[in-house]
């Protein structure tokens, strides 16, 4: 079974801090994703990576950046955290190719910005 | 362009009765369609997927879904609900060969099970 591991289940940070969320997958998947999930808004794509060092902006990239230096690891960076970035963050991975491959999700990081 | 609409934000059924969660989609391509389940404080887990093979798709935990092209629907069903089915369910569409970044999630349906 594919395992997607997010480094923290719960995280509390302060406004203006630089925040790193880490995600690791163990099945050699080409694609990796970062979503945020908010009540009433569903899942929204922040960034997508289809290969090492390759990335695409999703629907809501503002205030975020990503890093993929190794195939198994995809990091989400909040450059200067703000309270409106309080949310549940979900990482996912899938095999390469188009969108016809199922995604495998981590258990999420619930981030609170004070 | 693609879109997906889950027609009910909340469905409540009694244990042992059938479950129907409704999903309509639109896609310019032959779509790939998925249902995922999310239990509280967990990530999403794949229930089943349709990728242009059989129109009736069987998934895990007794769930199945039928792809109806004429109705642009992909409703999720289960003959008999169990208490452990209480969760949030997401219908997802992608344009098959389009980029994986074009995957569209529905807004979710919360399923409650009455004892």
């Amino acid at each position: 079974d594919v395992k997607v591991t997010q480094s923290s289940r719960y995280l509390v940070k302060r406004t203006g801090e630089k925040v790193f969320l880490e995600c690791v997958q163990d099945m050699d998947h080409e694609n990796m994703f970062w979503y945020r999930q908010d009540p009433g808004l569903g899942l929204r794509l922040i960034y997508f990576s289809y290969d090492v060092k390759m990335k695409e902006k999703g629907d809501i990239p503002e205030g975020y950046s990503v890093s993929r230096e190794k195939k198994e690891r995809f990091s989400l960076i909040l450059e200067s955290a703000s309270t409106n970035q309080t949310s549940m963050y979900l990482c996912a991975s899938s095999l390469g190719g188009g969108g016809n491959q199922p995604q495998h999700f981590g258990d999420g990081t619930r981030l609170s910005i004070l | 362009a693609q879109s997906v609409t889950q027609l009910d934000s909340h469905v409540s059924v009694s244990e042992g009765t059938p479950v129907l969660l409704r999903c309509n989609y639109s896609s310019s391509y032959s779509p790939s369609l998925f249902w995922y389940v999310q239990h509280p404080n967990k990530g999403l887990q794949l229930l089943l997927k349709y990728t242009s093979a059989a129109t009736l798709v069987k998934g895990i935990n007794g769930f199945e879904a039928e792809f109806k092209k004429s109705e642009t629907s992909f409703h999720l069903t289960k003959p008999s609900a169990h208490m452990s089915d209480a969760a949030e369910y997401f219908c997802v569409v992608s344009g098959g060969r389009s980029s994986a970044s074009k995957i569209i999630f529905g807004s979710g349906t919360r399923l409650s099970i009455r004892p």
Side-chain angles (χ1 to χ4, degrees), chain A residues 5-103:
Chain A
T5 303
Q6 295 185 231
S7 54
S8 305
R9 291 300 307 276
Y10 302 93
L11 207 53
V12 180
K13 296 291 183 181
R14 296 209 172 272
T15 303
E17 280 192 69
K18 191 168 186 176
V19 181
F20 294 85
L21 302 184
E22 306 287 347
C23 175
V24 176
Q25 50 96 3
D26 66 358
M27 280 299 289
D28 204 36
H29 283 172
E30 287 79 10
N31 296 332
M32 295 189 76
F33 309 78
W34 274 108
Y35 294 92
R36 65 177 281 176
Q37 183 176 23
D38 301 286
L41 297 177
L43 272 75
R44 293 179 291 168
L45 182 65
I46 304 171
Y47 267 99
F48 160 61
S49 170
Y50 51 92
D51 202 348
V52 175
K53 297 189 187 295
M54 307 305 287
K55 61 186 179 186
E56 275 186 26
K57 290 181 180 179
D59 301 316
I60 51 164
E62 297 78 19
Y64 303 94
S65 62
V66 290
S67 171
R68 193 160 178 208
E69 297 296 319
K70 294 185 177 182
K71 192 174 185 179
E72 68 271 19
R73 185 180 297 270
F74 192 35
S75 302
L76 179 70
I77 304 155
L78 285 65
E79 298 291 345
S80 177
S82 65
T83 54
N84 63 12
Q85 292 177 309
T86 292
S87 186
M88 169 72 101
Y89 289 86
L90 291 169
C91 175
S93 71
S94 71
L95 285 170
N100 60 350
Q101 298 294 336
Q103 293 170 293

Side-chain angles (χ1 to χ4, degrees), chain B:
Chain B
Q2 299 176 117
S3 68
V4 59
T5 303
Q6 292 184 243
L7 298 166
D8 307 291
S9 59
H10 182 214
V11 170
S12 179
V13 302
S14 297
E15 190 175 20
T17 64
V19 174
L20 170 64
L21 305 183
R22 299 182 295 163
C23 173
N24 287 351
Y25 72 91
S26 69
S27 178
S28 304
Y29 312 94
S30 295
S32 293
L33 293 156
F34 307 84
W35 276 99
Y36 290 86
V37 61
Q38 184 180 31
H39 288 94
N41 296 315
K42 289 288 203 177
L44 280 69
Q45 179 187 14
L46 179 70
L47 277 178
L48 50 82
K49 65 175 181 177
Y50 166 80
T51 52
S52 75
T55 56
L56 183 62
V57 183
K58 292 191 183 299
I60 62 172
N61 301 336
F63 284 95
E64 62 182 36
E66 186 172 7
F67 173 70
K68 291 187 176 180
K69 187 175 181 179
S70 60
E71 299 176 11
T72 61
S73 69
F74 190 58
H75 301 335
L76 182 71
T77 60
K78 182 173 180 176
S80 177
H82 191 273
M83 294 300 291
S84 61
D85 295 327
E88 187 99 16
Y89 291 79
F90 293 92
C91 182
V92 178
V93 64
S94 82
R97 292 182 182 177
S98 63
S99 167
S101 66
K102 304 304 181 189
I103 297 168
I104 307 296
F105 285 77
S107 54
T109 298
R110 182 165 61 91
L111 176 63
S112 300
I113 312 296
R114 301 186 298 271

